[in-house]
Amino acid sequence: MAKGNKRSFFDKLMMGSEKSEDFARASLPSNRWELFWDIFKGRFGKLVIINLLILLFCVPLVLMLIFRYVAVLNYGMLYPFSQSFGIGYGALPTMVGAAESIEVSVNTSMLLLSPLAFVFMAIGLAGGAYVIRNMVWTEGIFVANDFWRGIKQNIKQLLLIMLLYSLVFYITVCSISLCNKSIALEVSPIWIYKVAKVLSYILLITFSVMTLHMITMSVTYKMTFKQLLKNSLSFTVALLPHNALFVALAFIPFLLFLLDGILMAIGLIIIILFGFSYFLLVWTNYCQWSYDKFINDNVSGAQKRKGMYEKIKADNAGALKKYKEQLALTPRSSLNSKPIKPITDDEITIAELPTSFSRRDIEKLNESRQALYDDHAKYVAEHMNDEQFKQTEADKHAEAQRLEREKRIQKAKKELAKRNRNK
């Protein structure tokens, strides 16, 4: 590699930005907005792959909606809106409620397939939501492997969630269609059907938001289905303004698709490339914030602000003290629990063997290696009692657990060897 501070494109691609000289802990995300942007720009390729995997399981739902649209067109073409009557005169049957009748007929028949479509979609959501959750937690991921792991871990809950949602979806959509028909036909009293229509919309929207919360909760916590329903309803009602804001932000690609012209084309391209993964990223990031605020304090072992780093000012003594207390409670690995001298090239160097070397050259190499070991041992002895290397209670507890685990392993090995001898 060429000398200098400039790193090649392929070096950055393979090694990552954390290997660069200007990388600092302060550049890591410290809030949810920074975390979202960091994931979106840094893992965009993986978001595209996740989106394509989810789209694969959305094919039945897309086909159902297309068949419904085609069925509406066919009913409109076959309906006797302009059939000839007599000689040169057209029949003029009453058209009141005709369009609404077509909508009722199509919805009640075609949407019967919605449970199958939503249940198949649940498979993709189980894997996609799990991978996106790991992204928000800034964990290392392998998309295909983690997608499959997410399906295995969460498929049962997601199947129940989407099956229930499909039933609510079918009932509310058909109810809205029937109310529209009754209102168009002026069936008395009209106000009952208007109220029923509004209530159906409220139920559909409320349960849609509840379903989104249930999906995210199911891949984050181990809950029964009853707990998912209860908690999702609480979050839907208590965080109503927040839910409305982040649903709107997450739905931007789909809202563009509903418009005409170039915006529809842009929306379609976005949906195909990263529409669903973008939606899950926005929603999961928001949900993790709400869990930090309302749930994680009451969950044993739950880590708040996972994936982010809190920036503490030097003059903020209270926050600094709290940070150090939390750090003291976290067990450290053997790599950061003892002094390790920083690597420098100007103090001690390793002798290099020439192409043709003698015994004296080998002795010089061994002497330089021994000098390196002695220098490191001296550094460890000088800094062993530094504050940051003192063993905490968490370290002692972790060490005791390690020793206990080793004892159990040795005991199991002896027992296994004894059984083999008896055979």
Side-chain angles (χ1 to χ4, degrees):
M1 184 181 295
K3 294 183 178 180
N5 294 329
K6 296 290 186 180
R7 301 174 69 218
S8 68
F9 170 77
F10 291 102
D11 183 33
K12 293 180 181 180
L13 183 65
M14 297 298 293
M15 302 302 294
S17 59
E18 65 273 12
K19 296 296 182 180
S20 63
E21 293 80 1
D22 58 350
F23 180 81
R25 186 180 180 87
S27 64
L28 295 171
S30 60
N31 56 59
R32 292 292 170 185
W33 300 103
E34 292 180 4
L35 179 61
F36 166 79
W37 180 242
D38 187 70
I39 295 172
F40 188 78
K41 69 178 182 180
R43 299 189 174 186
F44 182 78
K46 292 184 177 180
L47 290 176
V48 172
I49 297 174
I50 295 169
N51 191 75
L52 294 176
L53 289 173
I54 296 175
L55 274 177
L56 182 64
F57 293 94
C58 292
V59 171
L61 180 62
V62 174
L63 291 178
M64 184 191 72
L65 295 177
I66 292 175
F67 290 156
R68 177 192 175 278
Y69 176 74
V70 172
V72 171
L73 292 181
N74 288 336
Y75 270 96
M77 294 174 63
L78 296 174
Y79 216 79
F81 290 143
S82 57
Q83 299 294 327
S84 60
F85 178 75
I87 302 175
Y89 295 95
L92 297 175
T94 177
M95 294 293 102
V96 177
E100 289 77 9
S101 298
I102 293 175
E103 184 181 15
V104 170
S105 178
V106 172
N107 286 342
T108 53
S109 58
M110 295 299 300
L111 296 185
L112 283 173
L113 300 174
S114 59
L116 293 176
F118 280 111
V119 163
F120 195 76
M121 182 182 179
I123 303 174
L125 290 177
Y130 177 80
V131 179
I132 295 295
R133 185 213 68 178
N134 290 346
M135 278 188 172
V136 173
W137 285 359
T138 62
E139 296 181 355
I141 63 169
F142 295 94
V143 175
N145 185 44
D146 287 349
F147 193 88
W148 174 243
R149 182 182 292 112
I151 293 175
K152 291 193 296 183
Q153 291 183 4
N154 307 295
I155 187 59
K156 292 182 180 179
Q157 294 278 40
L158 265 294
L159 286 176
L160 289 175
I161 291 170
M162 297 309 293
L163 179 60
L164 181 59
Y165 179 75
S166 66
L167 297 177
V168 174
F169 176 81
Y170 179 81
I171 293 172
T172 53
V173 170
C174 292
S175 174
I176 292 170
S177 300
L178 289 170
C179 290
N180 288 334
K181 179 180 177 180
S182 299
I183 293 171
L185 295 175
E186 297 183 352
V187 177
S188 182
I190 296 179
W191 68 269
I192 292 181
Y193 299 102
K194 291 183 178 180
V195 172
K197 180 180 177 181
V198 172
L199 292 177
S200 297
Y201 272 117
I202 293 175
L203 176 60
L204 179 60
I205 294 172
T206 301
F207 201 81
S208 296
V209 177
M210 283 181 59
T211 301
L212 294 175
H213 276 295
M214 284 192 286
I215 292 172
T216 312
M217 286 181 184
S218 65
V219 299
T220 305
Y221 303 103
K222 290 184 178 179
M223 295 183 179
T224 64
F225 192 72
K226 183 178 180 180
Q227 290 173 330
L228 285 175
L229 285 172
K230 179 181 177 181
N231 292 336
S232 62
L233 178 60
S234 300
F235 275 76
T236 301
V237 176
L239 299 176
L240 183 59
H242 302 81
N243 293 329
L245 172 61
F246 286 97
V247 166
L249 291 175
F251 257 112
I252 289 176
F254 301 91
L255 294 177
L256 290 176
F257 180 70
L258 297 177
L259 301 177
D260 294 328
I262 188 66
L263 293 178
M264 177 182 287
I266 294 174
L268 179 60
I269 294 173
I270 293 175
I271 291 173
I272 294 175
L273 289 179
F274 58 89
F276 287 95
S277 57
Y278 163 82
F279 184 98
L280 286 175
L281 177 59
V282 172
W283 186 255
T284 303
N285 195 27
Y286 155 64
C287 286
Q288 294 300 322
W289 166 83
S290 65
Y291 301 158
D292 285 345
K293 191 174 181 65
F294 300 105
I295 294 182
N296 288 338
D297 286 332
N298 302 318
V299 177
S300 177
Q303 181 180 344
K304 297 183 66 174
R305 294 176 56 82
K306 195 169 184 179
M308 295 181 295
Y309 298 88
E310 186 174 0
K311 297 177 182 179
I312 302 175
K313 297 181 180 179
D315 56 351
N316 193 343
L320 189 60
K321 181 180 178 181
K322 182 179 179 181
Y323 171 74
K324 289 182 177 180
E325 290 175 353
Q326 294 176 344
L327 191 63
L329 295 175
T330 305
R332 298 173 295 176
S333 69
S334 59
L335 295 177
N336 59 6
S337 60
K338 60 183 180 180
I340 299 178
K341 185 176 181 180
I343 298 175
T344 55
D345 295 332
D346 53 351
E347 295 181 6
I348 297 178
T349 58
I350 298 292
E352 297 182 3
L353 289 176
T355 305
S356 299
F357 56 89
S358 62
R359 180 181 295 275
R360 180 54 187 163
D361 294 324
I362 298 177
E363 291 176 354
K364 288 182 180 180
L365 174 61
N366 292 332
E367 289 173 359
S368 63
R369 291 175 58 186
Q370 187 60 42
L372 182 63
Y373 296 148
D374 294 341
D375 183 69
H376 176 69
K378 180 181 177 181
Y379 181 87
V380 172
E382 291 175 351
H383 296 274
M384 180 61 72
N385 296 323
D386 289 358
E387 185 67 26
Q388 64 268 32
F389 300 120
K390 290 183 178 180
Q391 195 176 36
T392 64
E393 292 297 327
D395 295 330
K396 295 177 181 178
H397 181 66
E399 180 66 16
Q401 287 184 328
R402 186 185 67 80
L403 294 175
E404 181 64 25
R405 185 167 57 252
E406 289 182 355
K407 288 181 181 179
R408 291 198 302 267
I409 293 174
Q410 293 299 327
K411 184 178 179 181
K413 287 182 178 179
K414 292 179 180 179
E415 182 66 25
L416 183 60
K418 182 178 178 181
R419 291 180 181 179
N420 291 333
R421 287 196 301 269
N422 294 333
K423 289 181 180 180

